[in-house]
Amino acid sequence: EMELKYVDFEVRDGIGFITMNNPEKMNAFTVEGAQSLVRCLEHCSDSGEIRAVVIRGANGNFCGGGDIKGMKYKVDNDCCETRPGLRANNAVIKAALNCEKPIVAWIEGACAGGGVSLALACDITVAQEDSKFVFAFVNIGFVPDMGSNLLLARAVGKVKAAELVMLGNRFTGREAAEWGLITRAVPAEALEAEVMKLAGKLAAGPTMAYARMKKLMNRVQYENLENIMANEGEYQQQLCKSADHAEAIHAFFEKRRPAFQGK
């Protein structure tokens, strides 16, 4: 029996269902939640009975990204330290990429920041057409993290990646599919059936071959991932001490636009 916090897990018909469940924070990443996700993914990878994985969020949202309340605490108490949290979150991305079973992401509602990174680390991604995606990092004076610099550029190319991370605009599941950031977008009422169809097909497929397909694709696409993650961590640590980050966090809670000074 795995000890899980903020994550629910069940197995049905050879499929492991992992549900991020911290609705008060829109299923944002926490250290305990990240560790629980890793446990589930490693269990799915090792289990003989599980042949495909589905990841979703509880209560109509996939994942709100970072824990803004946690960031406010750090800013207010002058204890900005991003590395342990980021290490825990990065472990989720690595566990998804290294999982020897194909993973389907089931996306509805909000998919923000690190939530998009997790979606990009899954193998097949199905979103509700009107789900809301955003690379929100720029809005709090941070760089994208959880490997998303590499994952995103590989998915959509440098030009689109620059637009999404520098302008930080919201986009829909339909747009994400058009740009190649996810596999496909479907209307809300068709989402569950589509996810189950794809997960069922994968669970009935040649499991050993899928594991090796993933290894090959990861080598081709993401060989530089460790280095990129190390750079992200270094830059995030510098930025969390910046005046712009503190201003952005205060502005968020005061429901106003941040006034960035470039410092």
Side-chain angles (χ1 to χ4, degrees), residues 135 148-149 152-154 156-166:
F135 280 90
S148 59
N149 289 287
L152 178 65
R154 286 283 187 269
V156 301
K158 187 260 169 188
V159 173
K160 195 79 207 171
E163 180 194 338
L164 295 178
V165 304
M166 289 189 159

Side-chain angles (χ1 to χ4, degrees), residues 32-62:
E32 301 95 338
Q35 289 166 342
S36 297
L37 281 172
V38 169
R39 270 181 216 125
C40 291
L41 286 162
E42 288 177 346
H43 173 72
C44 290
S45 189
D46 296 341
S47 162
E49 64 161 331
I50 297 171
R51 292 173 62 193
V53 181
V54 171
I55 299 183
R56 65 178 304 195
N59 271 40
N61 286 306
F62 184 68

Side-chain angles (χ1 to χ4, degrees), residues 138-141 243-245 247-248 258-263:
V138 65
N139 304 329
I140 54 165
D244 278 348
H245 173 64
E247 161 64 12
F260 291 126
Q261 308 289 324
K263 296 178 178 137

Side-chain angles (χ1 to χ4, degrees), residues 60-62 107-111 128 130-133:
N61 286 306
F62 184 68
I107 297 179
E108 51 193 337
C111 181
Q128 196 172 306
D130 59 357
S131 52
K132 299 275 186 288
F133 288 76

Side-chain angles (χ1 to χ4, degrees), residues 7-155:
V7 173
D8 301 326
F9 180 70
E10 63 171 325
V11 181
R12 290 201 310 272
D13 303 325
I15 301 168
F17 290 87
I18 301 174
T19 306
M20 297 178 278
N21 190 355
N22 189 359
E24 283 167 35
K25 293 186 173 170
M26 282 167 68
N27 309 321
F29 282 98
T30 61
V31 170
E32 301 95 338
Q35 289 166 342
S36 297
L37 281 172
V38 169
R39 270 181 216 125
C40 291
L41 286 162
E42 288 177 346
H43 173 72
C44 290
S45 189
D46 296 341
S47 162
E49 64 161 331
I50 297 171
R51 292 173 62 193
V53 181
V54 171
I55 299 183
R56 65 178 304 195
N59 271 40
N61 286 306
F62 184 68
C63 175
D67 172 12
I68 297 268
K69 278 199 175 124
M71 292 179 202
K72 183 175 193 309
Y73 177 86
K74 289 177 185 174
V75 163
D76 290 346
N77 294 278
D78 208 17
C79 59
C80 276
E81 172 55 81
T82 54
R83 285 166 289 209
L86 192 49
R87 265 198 298 275
N89 294 351
N90 284 344
V92 175
I93 300 302
K94 291 183 210 169
L97 294 174
N98 295 330
C99 179
E100 301 221 338
K101 311 294 161 63
I103 303 174
V104 180
W106 170 344
I107 297 179
E108 51 193 337
C111 181
V116 192
S117 310
L118 177 55
L120 285 163
C122 296
D123 301 297
I124 304 283
T125 320
V126 187
Q128 196 172 306
E129 284 176 338
D130 59 357
S131 52
K132 299 275 186 288
F133 288 76
V134 62
F135 280 90
F137 303 96
V138 65
N139 304 329
I140 54 165
F142 268 6
V143 290
D145 59 23
M146 289 174 70
S148 59
N149 289 287
L150 184 55
L151 299 168
L152 178 65
R154 286 283 187 269

